[in-house]
Amino acid sequence: MPELPEVETIRRGLLPKIKGQKINSAILTLPRLLEYPTPKQFIRRLKNVAIRDIGRHGKYLLFHLDNQSDLMIHLGMTGRLFVHSSNQPLDKHTHFRLLLHSSKELRFIDARTFGKLALVPHNDYSPVIGLAHLGIDPLSSKFTLQEFAKIMDCNRQLKAVLMDQSRIAGLGNIYVDEVLHRARLNPKKSVSRLKIPQIESLFNAICEILKKALHYRGTTILSYVDSEVRYGEYQSHLKAYGRENEPCLTCGTPIRRIFLVSRSTFYCPKCQK
DNA sequence: ATAGGCCTGACG
DNA sequence: CGTCAGGCCTAT
């Protein structure tokens, strides 16, 4: 799925197209994607409201509306968002549409339907557990070495902790592997065994990998496209993810693939200790 | 902490 | 055909 760099790229692409736009009505054709409230309330509350801004926390997009509520969209594995003219034919797997005053519409398309929608009060995300429990976003100004060190205080494996959205929000399977390769840390290593300099290099790796991935507009492995139907380009800069048996770009040792947290995990057994 | 489930599509 | 996939929630 889209991880933080992909979701942020989508957010930036959508923003100029829909900021300030008024929503006439909403059409929800796959109600099970809706986490909160009921479909009836959801549709009613999306009538005749304007979109003030689009925010993002981790992999969650938050459309700030002018009725004190936020429309939450999580793209799951295959979710896409486009702004199309209402007369354009609907893509297969279109499950949700916001019809805008301008006769354009925001369309949510999701083949695997792992995406999630919700409409929550602007000041109370508690109806959506995953959103309410999100950890710090690594692009936020609150993400400092000191705060990061506080998060890294358990004795689970590095891979599992970096994947844990309630600690740090936005990293997924690709970028965790890239971050750990950059920081030269083994994904199986227990967080409790990290020394201060290693926490610092991990922090720096997170910042640097995300910045670079954002620069390349995210990573397209299978299906990711942004709001302009444009592929990411970071896949050609990956150093660990997907490179099983290929030489490590640092030391030449074949990249190894294992399973951790029931996810494919790629790392260099020599560089990453 | 770890599988299993949710879905469809791409690929071998 | 079977296997795998960028996520997340739940139930052991």
Side-chain angles (χ1 to χ4, degrees):
Chain A
M1 111 125 216
E3 305 179 33
L4 189 152
E6 293 77 31
V7 177
E8 177 63 16
T9 300
I10 289 169
R11 188 191 72 82
R12 292 178 185 179
L14 292 175
L15 192 56
K17 297 187 175 186
I18 63 171
K19 184 170 178 163
Q21 291 272 325
K22 192 166 170 196
I23 299 166
N24 281 349
S25 60
I27 301 172
L28 177 63
T29 42
L30 188 58
R32 68 176 163 79
L33 299 186
L34 182 64
E35 294 212 315
Y36 185 86
T38 65
K40 199 172 169 182
Q41 291 170 321
F42 182 69
I43 297 300
R44 178 159 47 79
R45 291 175 194 172
L46 284 173
K47 251 193 178 323
N48 300 319
V49 293
I51 301 168
R52 298 164 76 105
D53 203 356
I54 313 174
R56 181 194 53 75
H57 191 163
K59 302 169 193 169
Y60 289 79
L61 285 171
L62 294 158
F63 295 74
H64 305 305
L65 308 179
D66 69 353
N67 64 353
Q68 304 301 316
S69 62
D70 287 351
L71 169 66
M72 177 220 94
I73 300 184
H74 190 291
L75 301 171
M77 290 280 231
T78 48
R80 299 173 166 195
L81 287 169
F82 302 128
V83 178
H84 281 165
S85 294
S86 291
N87 58 14
Q88 274 184 270
L90 291 177
D91 290 84
K92 198 180 174 187
H93 307 302
T94 302
H95 305 309
F96 174 59
R97 301 155 66 195
L98 281 183
L99 310 190
L100 304 173
H101 200 63
S102 61
S103 81
K104 300 225 170 185
E105 52 184 77
L106 177 70
R107 293 176 176 175
F108 178 67
I109 294 124
D110 186 5
R112 285 177 74 181
T113 70
F114 287 179
K116 293 289 180 198
L117 305 169
L119 189 68
V120 289
H122 183 63
N123 55 5
D124 179 17
Y125 291 166
S126 61
V128 179
I129 306 292
L131 180 61
H133 291 179
L134 275 185
I136 192 162
D137 186 287
L139 293 193
S140 103
S141 57
K142 292 177 184 166
F143 187 65
T144 61
L145 178 57
Q146 287 69 30
E147 288 303 311
F148 181 63
K150 285 186 199 168
I151 297 165
M152 298 286 110
D153 73 340
C154 56
N155 63 354
R156 295 158 64 203
Q157 292 178 323
L158 268 171
K159 171 98 178 189
V161 174
L162 295 179
M163 292 283 286
D164 182 350
Q165 303 297 301
S166 70
R167 288 179 185 268
I168 177 167
L171 298 177
N173 206 34
I174 293 175
Y175 294 113
V176 166
D177 284 7
E178 292 305 303
V179 162
L180 290 172
H181 184 271
R182 175 153 193 131
R184 304 174 68 95
L185 290 168
N186 191 298
K188 291 178 286 189
K189 189 181 180 77
S190 170
V191 165
S192 60
R193 291 176 48 232
L194 290 179
K195 300 185 171 61
I196 301 290
Q198 294 178 313
I199 291 184
E200 188 166 358
S201 61
L202 193 52
F203 174 80
N204 289 330
I206 292 169
C207 298
E208 287 157 11
I209 292 287
L210 289 179
K211 186 181 171 191
K212 191 171 171 191
L214 206 43
H215 173 79
Y216 285 103
R217 309 172 59 86
T219 303
T220 298
I221 300 290
L222 287 171
S223 61
Y224 165 72
V225 292
D226 70 10
S227 60
E228 314 299 311
V229 206
R230 187 169 158 189
Y231 294 125
E233 292 173 3
Y234 192 67
Q235 57 277 11
S236 45
H237 302 270
L238 297 172
K239 295 188 175 177
Y241 184 85
R243 300 193 64 248
E244 183 181 19
N245 295 328
E246 291 175 48
C248 171
L249 297 169
T250 308
C251 76
T253 304
I255 295 288
R256 187 174 291 170
R257 179 190 195 184
I258 59 173
F259 278 86
L260 282 185
V261 211
S262 60
R263 309 302 294 275
S264 243
T265 298
F266 301 86
Y267 72 105
C268 172
K270 184 166 177 212
C271 289
Q272 297 178 245
K273 296 295 183 192

